[in-house]
Structures are given as structure tokens and as C-alpha cells.
């Protein structure tokens, strides 16, 4: 158990819809990262938040947005969903700020299926 | 563009065999990490290598970082069914940047049969 909690574990929805994925980081971790894992692209970094502020952006689509709340949990919002958005979405947390050298702790992921 | 290429993509072996998987790039990385991911779970960090030429051992797993910091290998001795999983290498998106903003290879899917 990594200590990172993600909900829901599975989500099936239709094209054009909007979903919200939730992540609770490990106790005390200030940084939250979102990753997308698909069969063809592998694991891709989407976005990082540190103590409520956006710190870095990766390959995140404009239809996607995220935020980190004062209690440090984070949400990833996916809108105008397309078939190609079907993937595993992972949240990870770490204990330091931007220049950390520690490990990432990944949650079990949220599997999104867009029909 | 930084890319990490892993080979082989799939590997199926018998218990007790040795194996090596590779992670290569044309870019220099300040460090590389190896993760293992099992079905239904998130990746779990195995090791971080930081110094060119560095060798780290974790029980039957031996990790090496290339001298030029562009490649890494993972060698497993006497593989066991419990070693089955997806092995991913990863490195910071920007040289010397945050360890959390990672580029991942597509992984080597290892199956060890009893």
C-alpha cells in the first residue's frame, strides 16, 4: 500500500462527457503528480502541483485540468471526452518540493473507459 | 525530445534463468530510475542510479547506469515467478530537474514461468 488513494478505480462513460478523478496523497506529501498510461503511449506526465500551486505541465490536453486543494487532495477533470482518452490515470505523490530526489509513490490508478 | 527506449518489449522465461533488460536514450540524464508495475497497481520504485557507471544491487537484481548517463540495464539472476511484471525505466524530463516530472520508457513485460 503506497498510501496514495485514488477514486474511482473504474469509470465508464460516453464521448463528450466530463469526469473528475480524485487523489489523496500520502500523509505529509505536498507534491501531487498526474500521469496517464495508455497501451500505445506508455506512462506520460500530465501535471504537477505543489502545496496548492501548479508547478509543471507535461502533455496535458486543454480539455483536461487539475487542481490541488488546501487539504492537499487533488482532482483531475477530463472534459469533452474522446475515445482516445480511455486510459489508466495515475496520481503520485512525493515528500519534497520541486528539487526532490526521492521516490514517487503511485496510487492504484483510475481506469477510464470512454465508449 | 527526450526518449527512453526499452528492450525487449516482452520477455518470457523459465524460473531460474537469468535475464537483462535495457533502457537506452540519445539524451543524457542526471539520473535514471527503475520501477516495477504489477497488474492493477501503480509503479513501485526499485532503484535510482545517479552516477555514471554506477552499479546497484537489490537482492537478485543488478542495475547499472551507463558511463555516459544515456543508458541503463537491469539484470535479474535466477528469476522467480514473483519477478513477473512490467519493468519501467524513467528519468527527469529536464536534466537535473525534479525527479517527479518523469519521462518513462514503454517498459519490458516480463513473465517468469514456474
Amino acid at each position: 500500500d503506497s498510501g496514495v488513494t485514488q477514486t474511482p478505480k473504474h469509470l465508464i462513460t460516453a464521448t463528450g462527457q466530463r469526469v473528475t478523478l480524485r487523489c489523496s496523497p500520502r500523509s505529509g506529501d505536498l507534491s501531487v503528480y498526474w500521469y496517464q498510461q495508455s497501451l500505445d503511449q506508455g506512462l506520460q506526465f500530465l501535471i504537477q502541483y505543489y502545496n496548492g500551486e501548479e508547478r509543471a505541465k507535461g502533455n496535458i490536453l486543454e480539455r483536461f485540468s487539475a487542481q490541488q486543494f488546501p487539504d492537499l487532495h487533488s482532482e483531475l477533470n477530463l472534459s469533452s471526452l474522446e475515445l482516445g482518452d480511455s486510459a489508466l490515470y495515475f496520481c503520485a505523490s512525493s515528500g519534497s518540493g520541486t528539487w526532490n530526489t526521492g521516490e514517487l509513490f503511485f496510487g492504484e490508478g483510475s481506469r477510464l473507459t470512454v465508449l | 525530445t527526450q526518449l527512453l527506449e526499452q528492450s525487449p518489449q516482452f520477455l518470457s522465461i523459465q524460473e531460474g534463468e537469468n535475464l537483462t533488460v535495457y533502457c537506452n536514450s540519445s539524451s543524457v540524464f542526471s539520473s535514471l530510475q527503475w520501477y516495477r508495475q504489477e497488474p492493477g497497481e501503480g509503479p513501485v520504485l526499485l532503484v535510482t542510479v545517479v552516477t555514471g557507471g554506477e552499479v546497484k544491487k537489490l537482492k537478485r537484481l543488478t542495475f547499472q547506469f551507463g558511463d555516459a548517463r544515456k543508458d541503463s540495464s537491469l539484470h535479474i539472476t535466477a528469476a522467480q515467478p514473483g519477478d513477473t511484471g512490467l519493468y519501467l525505466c524513467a528519468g527527469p524530463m529536464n536534466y537535473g530537474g525534479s525527479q517527479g516530472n518523469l519521462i518513462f520508457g514503454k517498459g519490458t513485460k516480463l513473465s517468469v514461468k514456474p
Side-chain angles (χ1 to χ4, degrees), chain B residues 47-68:
Chain B
V47 77
T48 302
V49 285
V50 179
T51 306
E54 180 177 6
V55 176
K56 278 191 173 179
K57 292 192 175 183
L58 183 66
K59 297 183 181 178
R60 294 175 293 99
L61 278 60
T62 302
F63 304 85
Q64 186 163 8
F65 198 12
D67 291 340

Side-chain angles (χ1 to χ4, degrees), chain A residues 25-81:
Chain A
R26 288 190 323 154
S27 177
D29 283 357
L30 299 180
S31 281
V32 169
Y33 308 81
W34 286 97
Y35 281 82
Q36 179 193 58
Q37 187 175 37
S38 61
L39 282 174
D40 55 343
Q41 297 292 328
L43 257 174
Q44 291 201 302
F45 168 69
L46 295 179
I47 196 164
Q48 177 200 0
Y49 278 82
Y50 174 75
N51 202 21
E53 294 188 2
E54 181 184 305
R55 276 298 174 94
K57 264 186 174 180
N59 300 318
I60 188 166
L61 300 172
E62 286 192 8
R63 299 183 286 109
F64 297 179
S65 65
Q67 53 184 329
Q68 187 179 27
F69 295 86
D71 66 353
L72 301 178
H73 91 271
S74 178
E75 292 181 356
L76 179 67
N77 300 296
L78 315 175
S79 62
S80 302
L81 285 168

Side-chain angles (χ1 to χ4, degrees), chain A residues 35 37 40 98-100 103, chain B residues 37 45 96 98-100 102 106:
Chain A
Y35 281 82
Q37 187 175 37
D40 55 343
T98 304
W99 294 96
N100 81 83
E103 67 182 283
Chain B
Q37 183 179 14
L45 180 68
S98 169
Q99 290 283 356
L102 298 172
K106 292 189 177 179

Side-chain angles (χ1 to χ4, degrees), chain B residues 52-102:
Chain B
E54 180 177 6
V55 176
K56 278 191 173 179
K57 292 192 175 183
L58 183 66
K59 297 183 181 178
R60 294 175 293 99
L61 278 60
T62 302
F63 304 85
Q64 186 163 8
F65 198 12
D67 291 340
R69 307 163 80 107
K70 292 183 178 182
D71 57 87
S72 182
S73 63
L74 158 59
H75 181 79
I76 301 179
T77 302
Q80 299 178 0
D83 296 326
T84 293
L86 179 67
Y87 288 82
L88 297 159
C89 67
M93 291 183 74
N94 301 302
Y95 186 92
S98 169
Q99 290 283 356
N101 307 341
L102 298 172

Side-chain angles (χ1 to χ4, degrees), chain A residues 6-13 19-22 87-89 108-114, chain B residues 39-41:
Chain A
Q6 288 188 248
T7 57
K9 288 196 179 341
H10 300 276
L11 191 54
I12 302 174
T13 189
V19 299
T20 297
L21 309 179
R22 182 188 168 103
L88 265 171
Y89 291 85
E108 293 185 344
S110 293
R111 182 175 291 281
L112 173 66
T113 302
V114 182
Chain B
E41 298 182 9

